[in-house]
Amino acid sequence: MPSAALNNRSSHGAKRQKLSNGTLSTAPARLPTSRIFAPFRTIGLVSSTTVPFTSIPLGKTTFQITTSVGRCLQTYDLRRGLHLVFLTRPQTPGTITATVAWKDRIFAAWEAPEKTVKTGVWVFKRGKKIDELAMSLHTDGSIRALWIFGSWIVGCRSAGIEVWKSQTYEHYTTLTPSRLPNRTTSPLLSGPICSLPTFLNKIFAAREDGSVEIWNLSTGKSIFTILPPSSNAGRVVALEPAPALALVAIAYEGGAVIVHDVRLDTTVLQLRLDPATKGVISSISFRTDGLGAGDDGRKAGVMATASRNSGDVTFWDLNQGGRIKGVLRGAHNPPSTTNCEVSGGINRVEFLSGQPVLVTGGLDNALKTWIFDETPFSPIPRILHARSGHAAPVTQLSFLPTEADGADTGGKWLLSAGDDRSLWAWSLRRDGQSTELSQGNVRKKARKLGLLGVDPRATEPSASLEDLKAPHIVCMATSLNRDGGMGALASKTHIWQNHRARPQKSSANDAQSSSSTGWESIVTGHAGDKLARTWFWGRKKAGRWAFETGDGGDVTSVAITPCGTFALVGSSLGCVDMFNLQSGLHRQRFPTKVTPAQARALRLQQASVGDLALVPHDGSHSTGFARGQGKHTKAVTGLMVDGINRTMVSCGLDGKVKFWDFATGTLSHEIDWSSMTAITAVRFHRANDLIALRCEDSCIRIIDLETRKVVRQLRGGVEPIHDLTFSHDGRWIVASSADSVLRVWDLPTGHLIDATRLDSVCTSLAFSSTGDFLATAHDDGVGVNIWNNRALFTHVPTRHLSEAEVAAMAHPTASGEGGEGVLAGAFADVDDAVALLDDSSVLADQLSQDLTTLSLVPRSRWQTLVHLDIIRQRNRPQEPPKAPEKAPFFLSAIDSAKQAEQGLGRDEDAQALIERSRIMKMDRHSAAGAFTTLLHAGHQAGDYEPFLTHLKSLSPAAVDLEIRSLRTQKSPSELGLFVSVLTDRLRHRLDYELVQAWMSVFLRLHAEVIAQDEAVKMALRAWRAEQEREATRLAATMGYCAGVVSFLRSAR
């Protein structure tokens, strides 16, 4: 096999490359990027960083809310349901650390990515960078907060305050607070800054020692310091100006919250939350619509506080000394207590100006808006809009398969599962259609269980809502053949019922009602759980069934039959069970159960003959398997069913691949690799009947389902393989490993044709059924990266690459900057390094003269040439161009006068243009272009290679024009020469598909001329004879090959 000698080939079989000085070099050229995949964009990011969101009113109709997703900003429109309206470009050089919205602009501060680069602040408008702030030469450290008021822009660092002019963006001054004698190296400022409306040129800056300094920006002096209420109050963690005059709210790390009167330097209110149970406050906001306080909600004075250590929002009634009015439990997911990778908490809350709407941004990658009801009055708001994504790294990816009726669904929807116990469906067409599949009303369940207490005086921390969700998904399978869409079982049904606890009558009713509307189409297995759960794809919600493993082990693998009727569940103890998705009933077990009488008969037979059922012979065995035998001894790691529900294949950690009879549940064949390796995953390409097995020895083994033999062994790096998948046409295997390298093998040749080192480890990947996209998930982020497939519009060579030729490529970005779209990639030039690797001095044009060789021209070119007339007809405008509107009556006289003055000049210009066109036409007929020159030169020299190389480089439209322009007047006739070129190419068995396409266009365009030209007829007769001779040879060879394959595949 070509891939079996991978290591030897990389060291001894490296192909030589010709250098400019004529010498030969065996050193491989390193590719600068992937030859197959190009970055497109990252999906699933909403508020994935700790930078708080910023909002701004857009007139009197809506608000725009901007969040940070690393080096890019995303702006959502509130009136349109948090619809994504802007993505900022270009990306900032470093990670964004602070944002603020002012008028129609967004200011973003970013940290320096390297020590040689200074931090900066960029200005964006409608998603585009329009300016940047001038930075001081002595600015050190990143800006942690931005604030704009009046004519000032203020940025807070840990060691000082930067001030700019808001009109000119020029740097005004740097304010440096004084250090305490005992703190010479610790940070001075804690981050929060604000200003009060009536305090001209005054900025309030929070310090690490608990005090708040007031600075006059105009003079650059500190004029006053607000001291903490106690010595153990801790640093200031939040500042917010109150709607009342000269009042500011200050939150301390120790849990105290005060409302301070700056003019009188007195504390008006002092509140307290226990930081051990409620968390340290991270954000404060005041309601400004004059409602919400009091028993009837008709008074003003509501304050909201939130913490990064909790998912709750606390509402305070500041009247009569202040009290807790209510607590919005579980507004966002709290930080996980069991999985540190699951983010949670709230980093900002904000009441929209003059509106009963609250906006919350969480560390769980979510942005939500809440609205307060006035009638009936409720101190706790209800959800209004929400945009969110995964709160933990993604672990499973799967593109939705194409429906049986041919609907254009495949490749446009992507399913993803993460450590946050959620299952998401992402639309690659419209971002707003992406949604999380519902697991029922989790908040309602929590309220019934008492986890979301309604008592505002409760001091216990809110329980994690993740405990009410199913454990995180470790495997999933989909099939849309029986999916009923939005109308599937429209009546209310219970979710995830155990099939063993369901009465037979109830199951029969469910089966009857779902027979006309469809049933579940997704099955998932969960970590540490013995139940496999079903989901409705059309309704985007949890399904009716929870299938329990037959031996009580945890679910380790799942599969759905191609018909969409049966679900298979593999357990950690080796058992495989099959269930009916329509009724939820158990249908089969692999191996099938045996009755006591059958067991006794089997024991007697084994005692007399000997147990030969499971003795492997050369790694495989296909006879002597008795009913009830063949169970896996370890966890089942992969399941699949062939296209006609005849054979079920399972594999496990015991290193065995078992082929089962689907109808009877008996074992028919087995491949035993237990002495070599264990099998950790399986992928199946149904169109090709190929099975890819991921093994613990970092090898991918390919099995032909018909012959049940290993046809390829693919080896790359030495690190463990995390995931693998087939390409859409089954030609490639794409795999990711622990060394962060994405490798692509070509199955017909067994060559490693692409290897790309990514920025982080890829944990899961999926290839769309249309071949457009590759999706990857990584261990360092909550987004899903989407890559374009270059092979759709450019040639990908199958030359074998060594491990020294691994390319490096950066991940896609949320804004799509630096990515490559399909159209852009189709018209892009070939990279110099790729062209070097595919140079004719490296790859031969023809492996053997006995082989008919195709060209390296992309298929789209010659197919477009054949159907060029149809494409032009389809792209023709449907309506004629409309005449311009008539000018007003008072302009007609002016236009008439101008036309009269220019009439004579126009006639003269038209006559000159006619004469010029005649001269140009004569020159065009007399002058010979490159096409004609190379054609005649090739005829004289007997070498048509330069002519064919030029013809291959032309676009389809240019080739069509050149063939149309062939002349018959000149001797020898260009029509006859062109046919001779095609005959010569056919005789050498090169560029077979191009010769057919060019001849098809030639005959269609010059049929009438050919009938009157005897020389061209003779050339065509020679071409036809060569064509018939080659077609006969190919037919005989293909028939022989087909007969050999049929003989090898037939049962003997």
Side-chain angles (χ1 to χ4, degrees):
M1 287 172 287
S3 60
L6 181 66
N7 297 330
N8 294 334
R9 178 171 299 190
S10 62
S11 58
H12 302 293
K15 296 185 178 181
R16 297 180 296 174
Q17 298 176 1
K18 184 177 293 184
L19 303 181
S20 58
N21 58 2
T23 61
L24 295 176
S25 172
T26 58
R30 185 181 181 86
L31 287 172
T33 185
S34 172
R35 295 192 291 179
I36 297 179
F37 301 113
F40 181 42
R41 65 188 181 101
T42 302
I43 61 175
L45 300 181
V46 177
S47 178
S48 56
T49 66
T50 58
V51 179
F53 67 86
T54 180
S55 66
I56 191 171
L58 194 64
K60 296 182 180 180
T61 58
T62 186
F63 289 80
Q64 286 190 348
I65 304 169
T66 302
T67 62
S68 170
V69 290
R71 297 166 55 194
C72 171
L73 299 177
Q74 298 184 162
T75 301
Y76 300 90
D77 188 88
L78 178 63
R79 185 179 61 177
R80 300 169 65 181
L82 292 182
H83 179 73
L84 181 63
V85 291
F86 297 122
L87 285 163
T88 58
R89 293 185 181 182
Q91 287 197 123
T92 56
T95 304
I96 295 175
T97 57
T99 60
V100 65
W102 183 64
K103 295 184 178 180
D104 58 347
R105 303 176 184 184
I106 306 294
F107 293 76
W110 45 272
E111 64 181 359
E114 300 175 358
K115 294 182 179 180
T116 58
V117 180
K118 290 289 185 181
T119 185
V121 180
W122 283 5
V123 186
F124 296 94
K125 181 178 180 180
R126 298 181 64 84
K128 297 181 180 179
K129 178 191 174 186
I130 60 173
D131 212 331
E132 60 182 299
L133 303 188
M135 301 301 297
S136 172
L137 298 177
H138 306 288
T139 301
D140 293 325
S142 59
I143 295 176
R144 304 165 64 182
L146 286 172
W147 191 274
I148 303 179
F149 69 104
S151 59
W152 307 104
I153 302 175
V154 184
C156 179
R157 299 182 291 107
S158 60
I161 300 174
E162 303 295 332
V163 184
W164 297 270
K165 287 286 188 178
S166 61
Q167 300 299 325
T168 61
Y169 299 155
E170 63 178 354
H171 188 265
Y172 180 74
T173 186
T174 300
L175 308 179
T176 304
S178 59
R179 290 186 178 273
L180 297 178
N182 57 345
R183 295 185 179 182
T184 57
T185 58
S186 61
L188 298 175
L189 303 178
S190 59
I193 55 176
C194 72
S195 64
L196 297 185
T198 57
F199 285 67
L200 187 64
N201 301 331
K202 307 300 187 299
I203 189 71
F204 293 69
R207 291 180 60 101
E208 289 283 344
D209 57 6
S211 62
V212 178
E213 290 187 339
I214 304 177
W215 290 79
N216 188 318
L217 300 182
S218 181
T219 62
K221 296 181 179 179
S222 176
I223 59 176
F224 191 74
T225 300
I226 302 176
L227 299 178
S230 62
S231 59
N232 59 351
R235 64 187 181 93
V236 177
V237 292
L239 277 177
E240 184 69 19
L245 189 65
L247 296 183
V248 62
I250 308 173
Y252 296 90
E253 190 176 21
V257 181
I258 66 172
V259 179
H260 196 81
D261 189 329
V262 180
R263 290 185 304 176
L264 302 178
D265 191 24
T266 58
T267 299
V268 178
L269 285 175
Q270 183 167 353
L271 312 172
R272 184 171 183 82
L273 285 175
D274 186 5
T277 57
K278 300 294 183 180
V280 178
I281 292 176
S282 60
S283 180
I284 303 174
S285 184
F286 291 92
R287 188 171 174 178
T288 58
D289 63 340
L291 298 174
D295 295 335
D296 56 356
R298 296 296 177 180
K299 294 182 180 180
V302 174
M303 181 180 72
T305 59
S307 170
R308 294 182 179 178
N309 305 110
S310 169
D312 303 340
V313 180
T314 304
F315 299 98
W316 303 79
D317 186 346
L318 301 182
N319 299 287
Q320 299 178 356
R323 62 188 178 91
I324 296 179
K325 185 70 174 177
V327 178
L328 177 59
R329 303 283 186 178
H332 290 264
N333 293 334
S336 175
T337 57
T338 58
N339 190 346
C340 60
E341 293 183 349
V342 181
S343 302
I346 302 175
N347 59 1
R348 181 171 174 80
V349 293
E350 180 181 348
F351 283 102
L352 297 182
S353 178
Q355 303 293 327
V357 176
L358 177 72
V359 183
T360 60
L363 299 176
D364 57 348
N365 193 27
L367 179 68
K368 300 180 181 180
T369 58
W370 311 79
I371 188 168
F372 291 84
D373 292 324
E374 297 183 14
T375 306
F377 166 71
S378 174
I380 309 299
R382 59 179 173 85
I383 189 70
L384 181 61
H385 303 296
R387 290 296 298 267
S388 57
H390 284 287
V394 179
T395 57
Q396 294 289 323
L397 289 175
S398 176
F399 273 97
L400 208 65
T402 305
E403 296 180 13
D405 58 359
D408 191 17
T409 302
K412 305 303 183 295
W413 283 96
L414 175 66
L415 295 176
S416 67
D419 286 333
D420 57 349
R421 305 189 178 193
S422 63
L423 178 62
W424 275 84
W426 304 102
S427 172
L428 300 186
R429 283 183 171 177
R430 187 176 180 86
D431 186 69
Q433 295 179 348
S434 301
T435 182
E436 180 184 359
L437 273 66
S438 172
Q439 300 188 31
N441 196 334
V442 178
R443 293 181 58 83
K444 185 176 180 180
K445 294 179 184 177
R447 192 175 292 110
K448 286 184 177 180
L449 296 176
L451 300 179
L452 301 184
V454 296
D455 184 5
R457 296 169 296 178
T459 58
E460 72 278 2
S462 64
S464 176
L465 296 182
E466 68 178 8
D467 296 334
L468 300 179
K469 293 185 176 182
H472 74 268
I473 296 173
V474 295
C475 54
M476 58 181 170
T478 58
S479 176
L480 297 184
N481 289 340
R482 296 294 183 177
D483 186 78
M486 290 296 295
L489 290 176
S491 59
K492 185 176 181 180
T493 58
H494 297 284
I495 67 171
W496 293 337
Q497 307 167 74
N498 194 326
H499 72 284
R500 296 184 177 179
R502 292 277 293 171
Q504 292 288 338
K505 183 177 180 180
S506 177
S507 299
N509 293 334
D510 286 336
Q512 183 177 2
S513 60
S514 61
S515 61
S516 58
T517 61
W519 50 82
E520 295 89 334
S521 53
I522 303 174
V523 178
T524 57
H526 304 260
D529 195 353
K530 61 181 180 180
L531 299 177
R533 293 169 169 81
T534 61
W535 307 73
F536 288 102
W537 163 249
R539 300 182 65 185
K540 307 293 191 299
K541 59 170 290 186
R544 299 166 294 169
W545 314 123
F547 301 134
E548 185 177 352
T549 55
D551 53 5
D554 296 336
V555 176
T556 54
S557 59
V558 293
I560 298 182
T561 57
C563 61
T565 305
F566 301 101
L568 293 100
V569 180
S571 79
S572 59
L573 300 180
C575 184
V576 180
D577 293 274
M578 184 174 68
F579 301 88
N580 189 297
L581 285 171
Q582 182 181 6
S583 62
L585 298 178
H586 185 273
R587 291 305 186 193
Q588 185 63 274
R589 177 169 295 174
F590 301 89
T592 184
K593 295 180 180 179
V594 294
T595 62
Q598 292 173 337
R600 287 193 299 270
L602 179 62
R603 285 195 294 269
L604 291 175
Q605 180 182 2
Q606 291 176 351
S608 59
V609 181
D611 184 12
L612 302 176
L614 296 177
V615 179
H617 176 68
D618 294 334
S620 63
H621 194 64
S622 58
T623 58
F625 296 110
R627 181 182 179 90
Q629 289 188 334
K631 179 183 176 182
H632 285 278
T633 57
K634 293 184 180 180
V636 179
T637 56
L639 298 169
M640 51 81 38
V641 182
D642 67 349
I644 56 176
N645 288 1
R646 183 181 62 182
T647 303
M648 191 275 288
V649 180
S650 65
C651 62
L653 293 179
D654 55 1
K656 296 180 180 181
V657 184
K658 298 178 182 291
F659 298 82
W660 307 84
D661 185 276
F662 185 83
T664 63
T666 57
L667 186 63
S668 60
H669 187 79
E670 179 185 89
I671 299 176
D672 189 358
W673 297 331
S674 56
S675 60
M676 297 187 301
T677 184
I679 305 171
T680 56
V682 64
R683 298 292 183 268
F684 178 55
H685 193 270
R686 187 164 286 110
N688 292 352
D689 279 347
L690 292 179
I691 306 171
L693 301 167
R694 184 184 72 190
C695 304
E696 280 190 347
D697 58 354
S698 301
C699 177
I700 300 175
R701 293 173 171 86
I702 310 299
I703 295 178
D704 187 349
L705 181 60
E706 290 292 332
T707 62
R708 300 179 181 180
K709 300 293 184 181
V710 177
V711 296
R712 286 288 184 271
Q713 291 189 21
L714 309 175
R715 297 183 182 272
V718 297
E719 297 294 333
I721 298 173
H722 283 172
D723 199 8
L724 76 160
T725 183
F726 278 97
S727 62
H728 65 292
D729 55 1
R731 185 180 179 89
W732 299 336
I733 284 288
V734 186
S736 62
S737 55
D739 56 0
S740 303
V741 176
L742 192 68
R743 294 177 174 87
V744 182
W745 286 273
D746 182 68
L747 289 181
T749 62
H751 290 177
L752 177 67
I753 61 174
D754 193 39
T756 307
R757 189 175 304 279
L758 305 177
D759 295 339
S760 58
V761 176
C762 175
T763 56
S764 182
L765 50 85
F767 216 114
S768 65
S769 58
T770 57
D772 297 342
F773 304 111
L774 174 74
T776 60
H778 301 264
D779 59 354
D780 63 343
V782 296
V784 178
N785 293 329
I786 307 297
W787 310 78
N788 276 324
N789 182 10
R790 296 176 186 261
L792 296 180
F793 44 77
T794 187
H795 169 69
V796 176
T798 57
R799 189 184 72 86
H800 177 74
L801 301 180
S802 66
E803 289 297 319
E805 298 175 270
V806 176
M809 185 167 54
H811 289 176
T813 61
S815 63
E817 183 187 357
E820 184 176 311
V822 174
L823 292 179
F827 293 100
D829 295 332
V830 180
D831 190 87
D832 293 338
V834 178
L836 175 63
L837 290 177
D838 301 332
D839 190 79
S840 58
S841 61
V842 181
L843 296 179
D845 291 336
Q846 194 174 22
L847 298 178
S848 172
Q849 294 182 356
D850 296 332
L851 299 177
T852 297
T853 306
L854 304 181
S855 70
L856 296 181
V857 176
R859 182 185 302 177
S860 59
R861 282 196 181 182
W862 59 267
Q863 287 182 343
T864 301
L865 174 63
V866 175
H867 303 288
L868 191 60
D869 291 341
I870 300 176
I871 296 174
R872 287 172 175 171
Q873 183 68 24
R874 183 186 61 191
N875 295 340
R876 180 176 298 176
Q878 299 295 331
E879 298 179 358
K882 297 181 179 180
E885 297 182 0
K886 294 183 179 180
F889 69 93
F890 53 82
L891 296 179
S892 59
I894 301 176
D895 294 340
S896 299
K898 290 183 177 179
Q899 292 175 3
E901 293 176 0
Q902 300 176 358
L904 182 59
R906 288 182 179 177
D907 294 340
E908 296 176 354
D909 295 341
Q911 186 66 26
L913 183 60
I914 293 174
E915 295 296 331
R916 193 184 314 145
S917 64
R918 291 175 182 172
I919 297 173
M920 293 177 65
K921 183 180 292 186
M922 294 175 61
D923 291 341
R924 188 183 306 120
H925 285 293
S926 60
F931 179 87
T932 304
T933 302
L934 292 174
L935 178 60
H936 286 279
H939 172 67
Q940 295 175 1
D943 182 13
Y944 296 108
E945 192 64 34
F947 169 75
L948 290 168
T949 302
H950 171 72
L951 191 58
K952 291 179 185 178
S953 65
L954 299 180
S955 64
V959 173
D960 182 82
L961 179 61
E962 294 290 359
I963 296 177
R964 288 177 184 271
S965 304
L966 291 172
R967 293 174 290 176
T968 58
Q969 294 82 2
K970 190 174 180 180
S971 181
S973 173
E974 292 182 0
L975 297 180
L977 293 181
F978 186 75
V979 175
S980 299
V981 173
L982 300 186
T983 305
D984 179 77
R985 208 62 176 172
L986 195 60
R987 186 177 297 112
H988 287 84
R989 297 170 182 171
L990 293 171
D991 302 332
Y992 186 80
E993 83 282 16
L994 282 183
V995 170
Q996 305 304 317
W998 290 338
M999 180 57 72
S1000 175
V1001 176
F1002 175 80
L1003 294 176
R1004 187 180 71 247
L1005 296 177
H1006 299 287
E1008 297 180 359
V1009 179
I1010 293 173
Q1012 303 173 1
D1013 195 329
E1014 290 297 331
V1016 179
K1017 287 183 180 180
M1018 292 182 60
L1020 282 175
R1021 291 189 185 100
W1023 177 87
R1024 184 176 63 180
E1026 192 64 37
Q1027 173 75 9
E1028 290 177 352
R1029 185 182 305 109
E1030 184 64 18
T1032 303
R1033 190 184 70 87
L1034 285 178
T1037 304
M1038 293 297 294
Y1040 173 78
C1041 294
V1044 171
V1045 172
S1046 299
F1047 173 75
L1048 293 176
R1049 286 195 170 191
S1050 61
R1052 299 188 303 275

